[in-house]
């Protein structure tokens, strides 16, 4: 059956009719729309933050202001609510300029402008409706030098448990070229985020966030996905996601040793302190196969044949796919995530691309260098 997630009453009724014991709200839009609040009000256990707490992803400005109040290391910033205000604020920064649509923009609301002219053009696009309602306000940030990595933590609002690290590849093209996307591939763990750095992230970023949200009456329950910049001064927060993320979720789930459901239920019931959370030490790497045209207008309807992919070893996660007259076809931008495990990033990369090459998807494409930074480090380059 088809169930529209924006119809909260219909979702609640469905859960009651089917005796649903746990709802995991995956995408960011239903979280920001308050679906978890509607379910909790009906007595349905939920993994995912409230509407108020989901502002950590739903509003870049909200998160930046929280960082300022809690002393969390992040880039300097200015929140702007009009085109004129934003243009004037550019004078407080130097190139390259980092411009972010305040609201949800499917991972595409960030522009790094190399010149003042590019920055002004990007602002005109944002305030001109290029990102819809997400661009009604714009955050301008200082550019941070360093390498990006992601850190994940689970929390029930009080207890916090580490859930590993990953490194995403946002740009559409090899060598990190072209426009930003929702993610073209990822691997986990990210060795660049050492145990010492992870301890700093927990103490300086994650714990102050959870504590401040709780003290201010918006306790956060769910997964905190911290996008980080590893700067010479230490890790700094770029932004939060209020969900596991895609393609980071694929590599994290491949590494999870513990049973997932008890962990999610423990978060939902405020009992995370007693939950077992264990990850495998091996590396998982995923390669996103996208439809031609992505991140612009993707070419939908292209046939996909997975019969050549080995049944064991690699795992193919479906995203933008559907069935048409019994044939698997592309029905979105990012279509498949081909994932493999290995003893190192180099091995996981090799196995993942061996599986990619067995996927028959003529109207699809992928990056061929997922994990390139760590592969180079493993080779001593």
């Amino acid at each position: 059956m088809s169930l529209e997630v924006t119809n909260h009453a219909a979702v609640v009724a469905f859960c009651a009719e089917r005796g649903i014991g746990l709802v995991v709200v995956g995408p960011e839009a239903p979280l920001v729309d308050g679906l978890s609040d509607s379910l909790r009000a009906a007595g349905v256990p939920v993994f995912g933050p409230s509407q108020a707490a989901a502002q950590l992803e739903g509003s870049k400005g909200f998160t930046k202001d929280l960082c300022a109040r809690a002393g969390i290391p992040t880039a300097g910033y200015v929140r702007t609510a009009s085109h004129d205000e934003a243009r004037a604020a550019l004078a407080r920064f130097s190139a390259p300029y980092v411009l972010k649509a305040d609201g949800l923009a499917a991972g595409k609301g960030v522009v790094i402008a190399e010149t003042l002219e590019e920055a002004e053009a990007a602002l005109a696009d944002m305030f001109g409706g290029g990102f819809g309602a997400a661009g009604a306000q714009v955050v301008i940030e200082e550019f941070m030098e360093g390498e990006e990595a992601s850190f994940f933590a689970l929390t029930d609002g009080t207890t916090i448990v580490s859930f590993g690290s990953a490194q995403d590849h946002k740009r559409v093209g090899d060598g990190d070229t072209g426009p930003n996307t929702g993610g073209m591939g990822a691997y986990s763990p990210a060795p660049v985020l050492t145990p010492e750095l992870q301890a700093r992230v927990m103490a300086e970023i994650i714990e102050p966030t959870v504590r401040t949200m709780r003290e201010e009456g918006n306790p956060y329950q769910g997964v905190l996905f911290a996008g980080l910049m590893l700067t010479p001064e230490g890790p700094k927060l770029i932004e939060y996601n209020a969900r596991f993320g895609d393609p980071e979720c694929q590599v994290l789930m491949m590494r999870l040793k513990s049973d997932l459901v008890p962990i999610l239920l423990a978060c939902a019931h405020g009992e995370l302190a007693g939950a077992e959370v264990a990850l495998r030490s091996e590396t998982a790497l995923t390669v996103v196969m996208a439809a031609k045209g992505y991140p612009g207008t993707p070419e939908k309807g292209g046939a996909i044949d997975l019969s050549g992919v080995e049944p064991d070893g690699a795992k193919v996660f479906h995203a933008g796919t559907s069935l048409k007259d019994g044939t698997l076809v592309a029905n979105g931008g990012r279509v498949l995530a081909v994932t493999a495990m290995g003893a190192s990033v180099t091995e996981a990369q090799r196995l993942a691309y061996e599986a990619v090459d067995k996927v028959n998807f003529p109207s699809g494409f992928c990056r061929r260098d997922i994990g390139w930074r760590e592969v180079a480090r493993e080779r001593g380059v």
Side-chain angles (χ1 to χ4, degrees), residues 301-314:
I304 304 167
D305 182 2
L306 299 176
S307 61
V309 182
E310 293 294 335
D312 53 3

Side-chain angles (χ1 to χ4, degrees), residues 152 186 225 244-255 317:
F152 300 81
F225 169 172
F244 282 109
D246 172 15
E248 294 86 354
C249 185
Q250 288 90 320
V251 289
L252 290 171
M253 292 305 126
M254 290 285 281
R255 293 186 58 221
F317 292 89

Side-chain angles (χ1 to χ4, degrees), residues 112 114 143 146-149 167-187 229 349 353 366-374 376-377:
I112 299 175
E114 298 295 336
F143 181 80
E147 186 171 341
E148 290 190 38
Q167 203 160 35
D168 186 16
H169 298 64
K170 286 291 186 187
R171 301 278 186 161
V172 72
D174 288 4
D176 291 331
T177 57
N180 272 333
T181 71
M184 294 301 293
Y187 62 91
M229 186 66 76
Q349 182 195 63
Y353 280 109
C366 67
R367 281 183 58 165
R368 303 295 306 190
D369 65 345
I370 301 303
W372 67 271
R373 286 188 187 88
E374 198 56 40
R377 282 191 279 257

Side-chain angles (χ1 to χ4, degrees), residues 302-309 327-329 336 355-356 358-362:
I304 304 167
D305 182 2
L306 299 176
S307 61
V309 182
T327 299
L328 185 68
V329 299
L336 303 169
V356 165
K358 295 173 183 174
V359 176
N360 185 359
F361 181 19

Side-chain angles (χ1 to χ4, degrees), residues 289-316:
M289 301 192 74
K292 290 179 181 176
Y294 179 80
T297 302
E299 181 181 319
K300 295 185 179 181
I304 304 167
D305 182 2
L306 299 176
S307 61
V309 182
E310 293 294 335
D312 53 3
K315 185 179 291 291
V316 180

Side-chain angles (χ1 to χ4, degrees), residues 121-139:
L123 288 176
D125 182 42
M126 288 180 176
F127 283 106
F131 293 95
Q137 294 189 36
V138 173
V139 175

Side-chain angles (χ1 to χ4, degrees), residues 96-183:
Y97 302 90
V98 181
L99 315 172
K100 297 182 177 180
D102 181 73
L104 298 177
K108 303 168 191 173
V110 179
V111 175
I112 299 175
E114 298 295 336
T115 66
L116 182 61
E117 291 73 22
E118 289 180 11
E120 290 180 338
L123 288 176
D125 182 42
M126 288 180 176
F127 283 106
F131 293 95
Q137 294 189 36
V138 173
V139 175
I140 303 174
E141 295 186 3
E142 67 173 340
F143 181 80
M144 293 190 289
E145 294 279 0
E147 186 171 341
E148 290 190 38
S150 301
F151 181 80
F152 300 81
L154 303 177
T155 180
D156 58 10
T158 302
T159 299
I160 307 169
V161 176
S162 169
F163 202 74
S165 63
Q167 203 160 35
D168 186 16
H169 298 64
K170 286 291 186 187
R171 301 278 186 161
V172 72
D174 288 4
D176 291 331
T177 57
N180 272 333
T181 71

